[in-house]
Amino acid sequence: MSRDLPIRDSVALAPYTTFGIGGPAQFFATATSEDDIVAAVAWARERSLPLFVLGGGSNLLVRDGGFAGLVLHIALRGILQQPRGIFHVAAGEPWDAFVDHALSLQMAGIECLAGIPGSVGGTPVQNVGAYGQEVAQTIESVRAYDRQTGKFVDIPRAECRFRYRESLFNGPLEQDEPNRYIVSHVSYRLHPHGLPSLRYGDLQRAFAHHQDPTLAEVASTVRNLRRSKGMLLVPGDPDCRSAGSFFKNPIVTTDELASIAAALGAKPDGIPQWVAADHRIKLPAAWLLERAGFKKGYAEGAAGLSSRHTLALINRGNATCADIERLQDHIVATVFAKFGLTLEREPVLLGDLQLTT
Ligand SMILES: Cc1cc2nc3c(=O)[nH]c(=O)nc-3n(C[C@H](O)[C@H](O)[C@H](O)COP(=O)(O)OP(=O)(O)OC[C@H]3O[C@@H](n4cnc5c(N)ncnc54)[C@H](O)[C@@H]3O)c2cc1C
């Protein structure tokens, strides 16, 4: 089987990422079928090479030295519609095009996730979410190749361990065995003729004087909001040469919140916050960055912050991964010195996930 899978060597990875940063892959293959996935894993294993799974490259920062191993680009295509709003979607389908497809069929459940770049296969990995929705609400099951057993498995939602920006596919278990699961298909259960979700404050404000907006109107408003923040991929827009939000919103205990408030001479309820699971509190990382002195448009050489969104680190033109990591380290150290809180990076750093097959 592996003889049929073309493997290229020394392939530049920067063009495969929205950051536009990073060195080459030593070897590169494109999977357009489940057989290709099996073949690629076998090829890498025979050579004791690490393997990295690449989707749309929109949550990825590639190191300048590139990746010494096989990068497997997931490009399986196809959308199968089944009764009762079930869609069985191949991992290489572009996510935003699938959102449009669902909207055209009056299917509710992912309208607030319009405009997010990347592939369908990338969505379960960090439980993609925005504007009051996350894919954990609609994913029915994930089909993936389990590299440990050498078999494809259908993993029901309840076993995907979805949390904020976390799942079975990138969570603590996955840290022990990175890239254990290679997602080939995702099944979503959408709601035929359902109402759009208006849980998020920005959307409630946008539709305050507009009764019963359609799914398409909500999706279009989400895209406009994203565009205004540089969070929509628009050719030529320098603010979207990024991986979206660079830091996760930290989740803290009430004691931690009290000490952050004390550092600011404020009361705990004076800090913007959301309720999180297990009696904890989620804080807006962008707000913390701003209080630590990092405003929109802040620049350090070729790396900087978006001029429209504090949380997006951007490539201002010819930035290296080292430039981005330097700015990241400066921000993390400054926020820690001010609030005693360690911010966590959201995008995957290729170099972190090296393992032998
Ligand atoms: C402008 C912009 C805005 C964004 N806005 C949001 C947002 O609102 N909400 C949000 O949650 N994210 C957002 N993101 C981040 C990103 O778009 C999502 O995380 C997206 O789902 C990543 O998918 P991808 O296919 O690009 O994954 P990649 O970047 O290619 O990979 C990311 C990780 O997923 C793994 N992976 C990818 N595909 C597979 C697969 N088939 N099987 C197993 N592992 C896989 C990779 O190995 C890697 O570890 C934004 C990014 C940008 C650039």
Side-chain angles (χ1 to χ4, degrees), residues 164 248-261 268 271-285 288 335 339-344:
Y164 167 68
K248 295 182 190 173
N249 290 321
I251 296 180
V252 300
T253 62
T254 43
D255 285 351
E256 286 166 333
L257 177 65
S259 67
I260 290 166
I271 295 182
Q273 54 194 271
W274 302 281
V275 174
D278 308 326
H279 307 290
R280 302 208 293 165
I281 302 135
K282 185 155 77 173
L283 302 178
L288 293 166
V335 168
F339 303 116
L341 192 78
T342 304
L343 288 177
E344 245 184 274

PDB file of all heavy atoms in Angstrom, residues 164 248-261 268 271-285 288 335 339-344:
ATOM      1  N   TYR A 164     -13.263  23.021  27.375  1.00  0.00           N
ATOM      2  CA  TYR A 164     -12.845  24.256  26.708  1.00  0.00           C
ATOM      3  C   TYR A 164     -11.480  24.052  26.037  1.00  0.00           C
ATOM      4  O   TYR A 164     -10.490  23.785  26.716  1.00  0.00           O
ATOM      5  CB  TYR A 164     -12.794  25.396  27.738  1.00  0.00           C
ATOM      6  CG  TYR A 164     -12.088  26.645  27.233  1.00  0.00           C
ATOM      7  CD1 TYR A 164     -12.655  27.418  26.223  1.00  0.00           C
ATOM      8  CD2 TYR A 164     -10.866  27.037  27.760  1.00  0.00           C
ATOM      9  CE1 TYR A 164     -12.004  28.546  25.753  1.00  0.00           C
ATOM     10  CE2 TYR A 164     -10.220  28.167  27.310  1.00  0.00           C
ATOM     11  CZ  TYR A 164     -10.790  28.913  26.300  1.00  0.00           C
ATOM     12  OH  TYR A 164     -10.135  30.022  25.822  1.00  0.00           O
ATOM     13  N   LYS A 248      -5.046  30.816  25.575  1.00  0.00           N
ATOM     14  CA  LYS A 248      -6.361  30.371  26.050  1.00  0.00           C
ATOM     15  C   LYS A 248      -6.834  31.320  27.139  1.00  0.00           C
ATOM     16  O   LYS A 248      -6.008  31.893  27.866  1.00  0.00           O
ATOM     17  CB  LYS A 248      -6.249  28.968  26.648  1.00  0.00           C
ATOM     18  CG  LYS A 248      -5.879  27.909  25.641  1.00  0.00           C
ATOM     19  CD  LYS A 248      -5.837  26.559  26.321  1.00  0.00           C
ATOM     20  CE  LYS A 248      -5.242  25.522  25.390  1.00  0.00           C
ATOM     21  NZ  LYS A 248      -5.025  24.237  26.009  1.00  0.00           N
ATOM     22  N   ASN A 249      -8.134  31.453  27.279  1.00  0.00           N
ATOM     23  CA  ASN A 249      -8.663  32.206  28.409  1.00  0.00           C
ATOM     24  C   ASN A 249      -8.403  31.385  29.670  1.00  0.00           C
ATOM     25  O   ASN A 249      -8.850  30.232  29.751  1.00  0.00           O
ATOM     26  CB  ASN A 249     -10.162  32.456  28.236  1.00  0.00           C
ATOM     27  CG  ASN A 249     -10.446  33.447  27.114  1.00  0.00           C
ATOM     28  OD1 ASN A 249      -9.718  34.427  26.941  1.00  0.00           O
ATOM     29  ND2 ASN A 249     -11.470  33.189  26.327  1.00  0.00           N
ATOM     30  N   PRO A 250      -7.660  31.927  30.646  1.00  0.00           N
ATOM     31  CA  PRO A 250      -7.329  31.109  31.815  1.00  0.00           C
ATOM     32  C   PRO A 250      -8.549  30.814  32.681  1.00  0.00           C
ATOM     33  O   PRO A 250      -9.443  31.650  32.814  1.00  0.00           O
ATOM     34  CB  PRO A 250      -6.309  31.963  32.573  1.00  0.00           C
ATOM     35  CG  PRO A 250      -6.467  33.342  32.070  1.00  0.00           C
ATOM     36  CD  PRO A 250      -7.056  33.268  30.694  1.00  0.00           C
ATOM     37  N   ILE A 251      -8.567  29.617  33.263  1.00  0.00           N
ATOM     38  CA  ILE A 251      -9.657  29.224  34.167  1.00  0.00           C
ATOM     39  C   ILE A 251      -9.063  29.157  35.573  1.00  0.00           C
ATOM     40  O   ILE A 251      -8.074  28.446  35.808  1.00  0.00           O
ATOM     41  CB  ILE A 251     -10.271  27.894  33.710  1.00  0.00           C
ATOM     42  CG1 ILE A 251     -10.898  28.118  32.320  1.00  0.00           C
ATOM     43  CG2 ILE A 251     -11.318  27.401  34.699  1.00  0.00           C
ATOM     44  CD1 ILE A 251     -11.564  26.944  31.691  1.00  0.00           C
ATOM     45  N   VAL A 252      -9.614  29.943  36.489  1.00  0.00           N
ATOM     46  CA  VAL A 252      -8.990  30.114  37.817  1.00  0.00           C
ATOM     47  C   VAL A 252      -9.977  29.771  38.932  1.00  0.00           C
ATOM     48  O   VAL A 252     -11.185  29.692  38.718  1.00  0.00           O
ATOM     49  CB  VAL A 252      -8.488  31.579  38.000  1.00  0.00           C
ATOM     50  CG1 VAL A 252      -7.451  31.940  36.943  1.00  0.00           C
ATOM     51  CG2 VAL A 252      -9.648  32.575  37.971  1.00  0.00           C
ATOM     52  N   THR A 253      -9.414  29.607  40.146  1.00  0.00           N
ATOM     53  CA  THR A 253     -10.253  29.390  41.335  1.00  0.00           C
ATOM     54  C   THR A 253     -10.661  30.765  41.883  1.00  0.00           C
ATOM     55  O   THR A 253     -10.098  31.798  41.484  1.00  0.00           O
ATOM     56  CB  THR A 253      -9.456  28.644  42.415  1.00  0.00           C
ATOM     57  OG1 THR A 253      -8.342  29.479  42.781  1.00  0.00           O
ATOM     58  CG2 THR A 253      -8.955  27.302  41.921  1.00  0.00           C
ATOM     59  N   THR A 254     -11.579  30.783  42.839  1.00  0.00           N
ATOM     60  CA  THR A 254     -11.986  32.075  43.426  1.00  0.00           C
ATOM     61  C   THR A 254     -10.808  32.710  44.181  1.00  0.00           C
ATOM     62  O   THR A 254     -10.667  33.936  44.194  1.00  0.00           O
ATOM     63  CB  THR A 254     -13.187  31.903  44.388  1.00  0.00           C
ATOM     64  OG1 THR A 254     -12.974  30.748  45.177  1.00  0.00           O
ATOM     65  CG2 THR A 254     -14.499  31.783  43.653  1.00  0.00           C
ATOM     66  N   ASP A 255      -9.944  31.901  44.805  1.00  0.00           N
ATOM     67  CA  ASP A 255      -8.766  32.458  45.492  1.00  0.00           C
ATOM     68  C   ASP A 255      -7.826  33.136  44.496  1.00  0.00           C
ATOM     69  O   ASP A 255      -7.288  34.219  44.745  1.00  0.00           O
ATOM     70  CB  ASP A 255      -7.993  31.352  46.224  1.00  0.00           C
ATOM     71  CG  ASP A 255      -8.727  30.923  47.492  1.00  0.00           C
ATOM     72  OD1 ASP A 255      -9.714  31.596  47.862  1.00  0.00           O
ATOM     73  OD2 ASP A 255      -8.311  29.899  48.082  1.00  0.00           O
ATOM     74  N   GLU A 256      -7.629  32.464  43.349  1.00  0.00           N
ATOM     75  CA  GLU A 256      -6.744  33.056  42.327  1.00  0.00           C
ATOM     76  C   GLU A 256      -7.346  34.366  41.804  1.00  0.00           C
ATOM     77  O   GLU A 256      -6.623  35.350  41.592  1.00  0.00           O
ATOM     78  CB  GLU A 256      -6.516  32.071  41.182  1.00  0.00           C
ATOM     79  CG  GLU A 256      -5.572  30.934  41.565  1.00  0.00           C
ATOM     80  CD  GLU A 256      -5.598  29.769  40.569  1.00  0.00           C
ATOM     81  OE1 GLU A 256      -6.618  29.543  39.889  1.00  0.00           O
ATOM     82  OE2 GLU A 256      -4.581  29.062  40.510  1.00  0.00           O
ATOM     83  N   LEU A 257      -8.664  34.362  41.620  1.00  0.00           N
ATOM     84  CA  LEU A 257      -9.324  35.586  41.146  1.00  0.00           C
ATOM     85  C   LEU A 257      -9.106  36.711  42.160  1.00  0.00           C
ATOM     86  O   LEU A 257      -8.812  37.851  41.779  1.00  0.00           O
ATOM     87  CB  LEU A 257     -10.817  35.338  40.932  1.00  0.00           C
ATOM     88  CG  LEU A 257     -11.628  36.568  40.516  1.00  0.00           C
ATOM     89  CD1 LEU A 257     -11.190  37.081  39.147  1.00  0.00           C
ATOM     90  CD2 LEU A 257     -13.133  36.261  40.482  1.00  0.00           C
ATOM     91  N   ALA A 258      -9.221  36.370  43.460  1.00  0.00           N
ATOM     92  CA  ALA A 258      -9.051  37.395  44.503  1.00  0.00           C
ATOM     93  C   ALA A 258      -7.634  37.974  44.456  1.00  0.00           C
ATOM     94  O   ALA A 258      -7.442  39.190  44.587  1.00  0.00           O
ATOM     95  CB  ALA A 258      -9.334  36.789  45.879  1.00  0.00           C
ATOM     96  N   SER A 259      -6.626  37.142  44.217  1.00  0.00           N
ATOM     97  CA  SER A 259      -5.271  37.708  44.215  1.00  0.00           C
ATOM     98  C   SER A 259      -5.003  38.519  42.947  1.00  0.00           C
ATOM     99  O   SER A 259      -4.254  39.498  42.966  1.00  0.00           O
ATOM    100  CB  SER A 259      -4.197  36.637  44.488  1.00  0.00           C
ATOM    101  OG  SER A 259      -4.153  35.741  43.442  1.00  0.00           O
ATOM    102  N   ILE A 260      -5.645  38.144  41.821  1.00  0.00           N
ATOM    103  CA  ILE A 260      -5.501  38.963  40.597  1.00  0.00           C
ATOM    104  C   ILE A 260      -6.157  40.327  40.835  1.00  0.00           C
ATOM    105  O   ILE A 260      -5.602  41.376  40.492  1.00  0.00           O
ATOM    106  CB  ILE A 260      -6.147  38.240  39.388  1.00  0.00           C
ATOM    107  CG1 ILE A 260      -5.299  37.020  39.033  1.00  0.00           C
ATOM    108  CG2 ILE A 260      -6.283  39.167  38.190  1.00  0.00           C
ATOM    109  CD1 ILE A 260      -5.987  36.039  38.096  1.00  0.00           C
ATOM    110  N   ALA A 261      -7.328  40.302  41.468  1.00  0.00           N
ATOM    111  CA  ALA A 261      -8.024  41.572  41.758  1.00  0.00           C
ATOM    112  C   ALA A 261      -7.170  42.431  42.684  1.00  0.00           C
ATOM    113  O   ALA A 261      -7.029  43.644  42.465  1.00  0.00           O
ATOM    114  CB  ALA A 261      -9.384  41.276  42.388  1.00  0.00           C
ATOM    115  N   PRO A 268     -12.950  41.520  43.100  1.00  0.00           N
ATOM    116  CA  PRO A 268     -13.079  40.382  42.177  1.00  0.00           C
ATOM    117  C   PRO A 268     -14.213  40.553  41.167  1.00  0.00           C
ATOM    118  O   PRO A 268     -14.064  40.211  39.999  1.00  0.00           O
ATOM    119  CB  PRO A 268     -13.326  39.190  43.107  1.00  0.00           C
ATOM    120  CG  PRO A 268     -12.664  39.584  44.386  1.00  0.00           C
ATOM    121  CD  PRO A 268     -12.832  41.076  44.502  1.00  0.00           C
ATOM    122  N   ILE A 271     -13.741  42.440  37.736  1.00  0.00           N
ATOM    123  CA  ILE A 271     -12.975  41.856  36.627  1.00  0.00           C
ATOM    124  C   ILE A 271     -13.934  41.102  35.709  1.00  0.00           C
ATOM    125  O   ILE A 271     -14.744  40.304  36.184  1.00  0.00           O
ATOM    126  CB  ILE A 271     -11.896  40.899  37.194  1.00  0.00           C
ATOM    127  CG1 ILE A 271     -10.896  41.710  38.009  1.00  0.00           C
ATOM    128  CG2 ILE A 271     -11.208  40.110  36.087  1.00  0.00           C
ATOM    129  CD1 ILE A 271      -9.759  40.923  38.577  1.00  0.00           C
ATOM    130  N   PRO A 272     -13.865  41.363  34.389  1.00  0.00           N
ATOM    131  CA  PRO A 272     -14.774  40.618  33.499  1.00  0.00           C
ATOM    132  C   PRO A 272     -14.528  39.124  33.617  1.00  0.00           C
ATOM    133  O   PRO A 272     -13.372  38.692  33.730  1.00  0.00           O
ATOM    134  CB  PRO A 272     -14.418  41.127  32.089  1.00  0.00           C
ATOM    135  CG  PRO A 272     -13.217  41.981  32.232  1.00  0.00           C
ATOM    136  CD  PRO A 272     -12.981  42.268  33.677  1.00  0.00           C
ATOM    137  N   GLN A 273     -15.578  38.346  33.626  1.00  0.00           N
ATOM    138  CA  GLN A 273     -15.420  36.903  33.882  1.00  0.00           C
ATOM    139  C   GLN A 273     -16.641  36.138  33.405  1.00  0.00           C
ATOM    140  O   GLN A 273     -17.716  36.709  33.214  1.00  0.00           O
ATOM    141  CB  GLN A 273     -15.241  36.663  35.382  1.00  0.00           C
ATOM    142  CG  GLN A 273     -16.349  37.268  36.221  1.00  0.00           C
ATOM    143  CD  GLN A 273     -15.985  37.324  37.705  1.00  0.00           C
ATOM    144  OE1 GLN A 273     -16.245  36.372  38.401  1.00  0.00           O
ATOM    145  NE2 GLN A 273     -15.402  38.426  38.164  1.00  0.00           N
ATOM    146  N   TRP A 274     -16.438  34.836  33.192  1.00  0.00           N
ATOM    147  CA  TRP A 274     -17.543  33.927  32.864  1.00  0.00           C
ATOM    148  C   TRP A 274     -17.495  32.763  33.839  1.00  0.00           C
ATOM    149  O   TRP A 274     -16.426  32.390  34.336  1.00  0.00           O
ATOM    150  CB  TRP A 274     -17.396  33.350  31.457  1.00  0.00           C
ATOM    151  CG  TRP A 274     -17.320  34.342  30.335  1.00  0.00           C
ATOM    152  CD1 TRP A 274     -18.363  35.003  29.763  1.00  0.00           C
ATOM    153  CD2 TRP A 274     -16.136  34.759  29.624  1.00  0.00           C
ATOM    154  NE1 TRP A 274     -17.901  35.813  28.737  1.00  0.00           N
ATOM    155  CE2 TRP A 274     -16.545  35.678  28.633  1.00  0.00           C
ATOM    156  CE3 TRP A 274     -14.785  34.454  29.719  1.00  0.00           C
ATOM    157  CZ2 TRP A 274     -15.656  36.285  27.753  1.00  0.00           C
ATOM    158  CZ3 TRP A 274     -13.891  35.058  28.849  1.00  0.00           C
ATOM    159  CH2 TRP A 274     -14.326  35.958  27.884  1.00  0.00           C
ATOM    160  N   VAL A 275     -18.643  32.165  34.067  1.00  0.00           N
ATOM    161  CA  VAL A 275     -18.697  30.973  34.927  1.00  0.00           C
ATOM    162  C   VAL A 275     -18.121  29.788  34.140  1.00  0.00           C
ATOM    163  O   VAL A 275     -18.449  29.588  32.976  1.00  0.00           O
ATOM    164  CB  VAL A 275     -20.168  30.673  35.314  1.00  0.00           C
ATOM    165  CG1 VAL A 275     -20.269  29.368  36.089  1.00  0.00           C
ATOM    166  CG2 VAL A 275     -20.739  31.837  36.114  1.00  0.00           C
ATOM    167  N   ALA A 276     -17.229  29.012  34.776  1.00  0.00           N
ATOM    168  CA  ALA A 276     -16.677  27.815  34.132  1.00  0.00           C
ATOM    169  C   ALA A 276     -17.088  26.588  34.942  1.00  0.00           C
ATOM    170  O   ALA A 276     -17.731  26.717  35.987  1.00  0.00           O
ATOM    171  CB  ALA A 276     -15.158  27.927  34.036  1.00  0.00           C
ATOM    172  N   ALA A 277     -16.690  25.401  34.464  1.00  0.00           N
ATOM    173  CA  ALA A 277     -17.076  24.164  35.164  1.00  0.00           C
ATOM    174  C   ALA A 277     -16.380  24.089  36.520  1.00  0.00           C
ATOM    175  O   ALA A 277     -15.401  24.801  36.777  1.00  0.00           O
ATOM    176  CB  ALA A 277     -16.688  22.962  34.300  1.00  0.00           C
ATOM    177  N   ASP A 278     -16.872  23.230  37.391  1.00  0.00           N
ATOM    178  CA  ASP A 278     -16.255  22.929  38.690  1.00  0.00           C
ATOM    179  C   ASP A 278     -16.066  24.171  39.573  1.00  0.00           C
ATOM    180  O   ASP A 278     -15.003  24.330  40.210  1.00  0.00           O
ATOM    181  CB  ASP A 278     -14.890  22.226  38.509  1.00  0.00           C
ATOM    182  CG  ASP A 278     -14.987  21.020  37.595  1.00  0.00           C
ATOM    183  OD1 ASP A 278     -16.047  20.365  37.626  1.00  0.00           O
ATOM    184  OD2 ASP A 278     -14.028  20.751  36.859  1.00  0.00           O
ATOM    185  N   HIS A 279     -17.042  25.056  39.585  1.00  0.00           N
ATOM    186  CA  HIS A 279     -17.029  26.263  40.421  1.00  0.00           C
ATOM    187  C   HIS A 279     -15.832  27.157  40.128  1.00  0.00           C
ATOM    188  O   HIS A 279     -15.330  27.850  41.013  1.00  0.00           O
ATOM    189  CB  HIS A 279     -17.035  25.901  41.915  1.00  0.00           C
ATOM    190  CG  HIS A 279     -18.146  24.982  42.282  1.00  0.00           C
ATOM    191  ND1 HIS A 279     -19.456  25.383  42.283  1.00  0.00           N
ATOM    192  CD2 HIS A 279     -18.140  23.665  42.603  1.00  0.00           C
ATOM    193  CE1 HIS A 279     -20.221  24.349  42.608  1.00  0.00           C
ATOM    194  NE2 HIS A 279     -19.452  23.300  42.800  1.00  0.00           N
ATOM    195  N   ARG A 280     -15.318  27.075  38.934  1.00  0.00           N
ATOM    196  CA  ARG A 280     -14.186  27.947  38.606  1.00  0.00           C
ATOM    197  C   ARG A 280     -14.642  29.079  37.690  1.00  0.00           C
ATOM    198  O   ARG A 280     -15.806  29.165  37.313  1.00  0.00           O
ATOM    199  CB  ARG A 280     -13.056  27.116  37.995  1.00  0.00           C
ATOM    200  CG  ARG A 280     -12.639  26.023  39.007  1.00  0.00           C
ATOM    201  CD  ARG A 280     -11.235  25.591  38.876  1.00  0.00           C
ATOM    202  NE  ARG A 280     -10.972  24.907  37.646  1.00  0.00           N
ATOM    203  CZ  ARG A 280      -9.739  24.690  37.182  1.00  0.00           C
ATOM    204  NH1 ARG A 280      -8.692  25.126  37.840  1.00  0.00           N
ATOM    205  NH2 ARG A 280      -9.554  24.048  36.062  1.00  0.00           N
ATOM    206  N   ILE A 281     -13.677  29.963  37.376  1.00  0.00           N
ATOM    207  CA  ILE A 281     -14.029  31.199  36.672  1.00  0.00           C
ATOM    208  C   ILE A 281     -13.097  31.350  35.477  1.00  0.00           C
ATOM    209  O   ILE A 281     -11.886  31.180  35.602  1.00  0.00           O
ATOM    210  CB  ILE A 281     -13.847  32.411  37.619  1.00  0.00           C
ATOM    211  CG1 ILE A 281     -14.726  32.210  38.867  1.00  0.00           C
ATOM    212  CG2 ILE A 281     -14.189  33.726  36.939  1.00  0.00           C
ATOM    213  CD1 ILE A 281     -13.998  32.538  40.123  1.00  0.00           C
ATOM    214  N   LYS A 282     -13.704  31.670  34.322  1.00  0.00           N
ATOM    215  CA  LYS A 282     -12.886  31.878  33.122  1.00  0.00           C
ATOM    216  C   LYS A 282     -12.677  33.381  32.936  1.00  0.00           C
ATOM    217  O   LYS A 282     -13.631  34.154  33.002  1.00  0.00           O
ATOM    218  CB  LYS A 282     -13.596  31.273  31.911  1.00  0.00           C
ATOM    219  CG  LYS A 282     -12.775  31.343  30.648  1.00  0.00           C
ATOM    220  CD  LYS A 282     -13.172  30.260  29.642  1.00  0.00           C
ATOM    221  CE  LYS A 282     -14.443  30.579  28.922  1.00  0.00           C
ATOM    222  NZ  LYS A 282     -14.768  29.655  27.853  1.00  0.00           N
ATOM    223  N   LEU A 283     -11.421  33.775  32.720  1.00  0.00           N
ATOM    224  CA  LEU A 283     -11.097  35.196  32.567  1.00  0.00           C
ATOM    225  C   LEU A 283     -10.693  35.489  31.120  1.00  0.00           C
ATOM    226  O   LEU A 283     -10.059  34.649  30.474  1.00  0.00           O
ATOM    227  CB  LEU A 283      -9.925  35.569  33.486  1.00  0.00           C
ATOM    228  CG  LEU A 283     -10.123  35.302  34.974  1.00  0.00           C
ATOM    229  CD1 LEU A 283      -8.864  35.672  35.750  1.00  0.00           C
ATOM    230  CD2 LEU A 283     -11.308  36.106  35.500  1.00  0.00           C
ATOM    231  N   PRO A 284     -11.019  36.671  30.618  1.00  0.00           N
ATOM    232  CA  PRO A 284     -10.608  36.995  29.252  1.00  0.00           C
ATOM    233  C   PRO A 284      -9.102  37.294  29.194  1.00  0.00           C
ATOM    234  O   PRO A 284      -8.631  38.285  29.777  1.00  0.00           O
ATOM    235  CB  PRO A 284     -11.429  38.246  28.903  1.00  0.00           C
ATOM    236  CG  PRO A 284     -12.022  38.738  30.170  1.00  0.00           C
ATOM    237  CD  PRO A 284     -11.816  37.728  31.251  1.00  0.00           C
ATOM    238  N   ALA A 285      -8.368  36.439  28.478  1.00  0.00           N
ATOM    239  CA  ALA A 285      -6.910  36.631  28.380  1.00  0.00           C
ATOM    240  C   ALA A 285      -6.591  37.994  27.761  1.00  0.00           C
ATOM    241  O   ALA A 285      -5.615  38.648  28.156  1.00  0.00           O
ATOM    242  CB  ALA A 285      -6.298  35.499  27.558  1.00  0.00           C
ATOM    243  N   LEU A 288      -6.461  40.630  30.370  1.00  0.00           N
ATOM    244  CA  LEU A 288      -5.247  40.532  31.201  1.00  0.00           C
ATOM    245  C   LEU A 288      -4.037  41.088  30.450  1.00  0.00           C
ATOM    246  O   LEU A 288      -3.204  41.799  31.029  1.00  0.00           O
ATOM    247  CB  LEU A 288      -4.985  39.070  31.590  1.00  0.00           C
ATOM    248  CG  LEU A 288      -6.028  38.451  32.528  1.00  0.00           C
ATOM    249  CD1 LEU A 288      -5.874  36.936  32.565  1.00  0.00           C
ATOM    250  CD2 LEU A 288      -5.914  39.017  33.938  1.00  0.00           C
ATOM    251  N   VAL A 335       2.780  38.901  32.260  1.00  0.00           N
ATOM    252  CA  VAL A 335       1.477  38.588  32.889  1.00  0.00           C
ATOM    253  C   VAL A 335       1.713  37.825  34.197  1.00  0.00           C
ATOM    254  O   VAL A 335       1.054  38.087  35.211  1.00  0.00           O
ATOM    255  CB  VAL A 335       0.569  37.804  31.906  1.00  0.00           C
ATOM    256  CG1 VAL A 335      -0.646  37.216  32.612  1.00  0.00           C
ATOM    257  CG2 VAL A 335       0.135  38.710  30.757  1.00  0.00           C
ATOM    258  N   PHE A 339       0.295  39.169  37.650  1.00  0.00           N
ATOM    259  CA  PHE A 339      -0.894  38.505  38.214  1.00  0.00           C
ATOM    260  C   PHE A 339      -0.610  37.134  38.842  1.00  0.00           C
ATOM    261  O   PHE A 339      -1.528  36.500  39.354  1.00  0.00           O
ATOM    262  CB  PHE A 339      -1.961  38.298  37.123  1.00  0.00           C
ATOM    263  CG  PHE A 339      -2.380  39.577  36.442  1.00  0.00           C
ATOM    264  CD1 PHE A 339      -2.130  39.773  35.095  1.00  0.00           C
ATOM    265  CD2 PHE A 339      -3.023  40.578  37.151  1.00  0.00           C
ATOM    266  CE1 PHE A 339      -2.518  40.941  34.461  1.00  0.00           C
ATOM    267  CE2 PHE A 339      -3.419  41.750  36.517  1.00  0.00           C
ATOM    268  CZ  PHE A 339      -3.157  41.936  35.175  1.00  0.00           C
ATOM    269  N   GLY A 340       0.624  36.624  38.712  1.00  0.00           N
ATOM    270  CA  GLY A 340       0.923  35.281  39.231  1.00  0.00           C
ATOM    271  C   GLY A 340       0.199  34.185  38.460  1.00  0.00           C
ATOM    272  O   GLY A 340      -0.090  33.114  38.987  1.00  0.00           O
ATOM    273  N   LEU A 341      -0.083  34.447  37.200  1.00  0.00           N
ATOM    274  CA  LEU A 341      -0.892  33.536  36.379  1.00  0.00           C
ATOM    275  C   LEU A 341      -0.088  33.176  35.127  1.00  0.00           C
ATOM    276  O   LEU A 341       0.454  34.064  34.461  1.00  0.00           O
ATOM    277  CB  LEU A 341      -2.147  34.312  35.976  1.00  0.00           C
ATOM    278  CG  LEU A 341      -3.286  33.578  35.356  1.00  0.00           C
ATOM    279  CD1 LEU A 341      -4.065  32.853  36.456  1.00  0.00           C
ATOM    280  CD2 LEU A 341      -4.218  34.581  34.686  1.00  0.00           C
ATOM    281  N   THR A 342      -0.019  31.880  34.817  1.00  0.00           N
ATOM    282  CA  THR A 342       0.732  31.483  33.618  1.00  0.00           C
ATOM    283  C   THR A 342      -0.235  31.264  32.453  1.00  0.00           C
ATOM    284  O   THR A 342      -1.076  30.364  32.502  1.00  0.00           O
ATOM    285  CB  THR A 342       1.522  30.179  33.875  1.00  0.00           C
ATOM    286  OG1 THR A 342       2.360  30.393  35.006  1.00  0.00           O
ATOM    287  CG2 THR A 342       2.393  29.813  32.687  1.00  0.00           C
ATOM    288  N   LEU A 343      -0.110  32.083  31.423  1.00  0.00           N
ATOM    289  CA  LEU A 343      -0.975  31.932  30.250  1.00  0.00           C
ATOM    290  C   LEU A 343      -0.529  30.719  29.448  1.00  0.00           C
ATOM    291  O   LEU A 343       0.660  30.439  29.334  1.00  0.00           O
ATOM    292  CB  LEU A 343      -0.889  33.178  29.358  1.00  0.00           C
ATOM    293  CG  LEU A 343      -1.551  34.443  29.881  1.00  0.00           C
ATOM    294  CD1 LEU A 343      -1.291  35.600  28.903  1.00  0.00           C
ATOM    295  CD2 LEU A 343      -3.055  34.248  30.058  1.00  0.00           C
ATOM    296  N   GLU A 344      -1.514  30.025  28.875  1.00  0.00           N
ATOM    297  CA  GLU A 344      -1.212  28.849  28.057  1.00  0.00           C
ATOM    298  C   GLU A 344      -1.401  29.176  26.587  1.00  0.00           C
ATOM    299  O   GLU A 344      -2.415  29.774  26.216  1.00  0.00           O
ATOM    300  CB  GLU A 344      -2.225  27.754  28.396  1.00  0.00           C
ATOM    301  CG  GLU A 344      -1.647  26.531  29.047  1.00  0.00           C
ATOM    302  CD  GLU A 344      -2.747  25.503  29.221  1.00  0.00           C
ATOM    303  OE1 GLU A 344      -3.451  25.584  30.241  1.00  0.00           O
ATOM    304  OE2 GLU A 344      -2.916  24.655  28.329  1.00  0.00           O
TER     305      GLU A 344
END
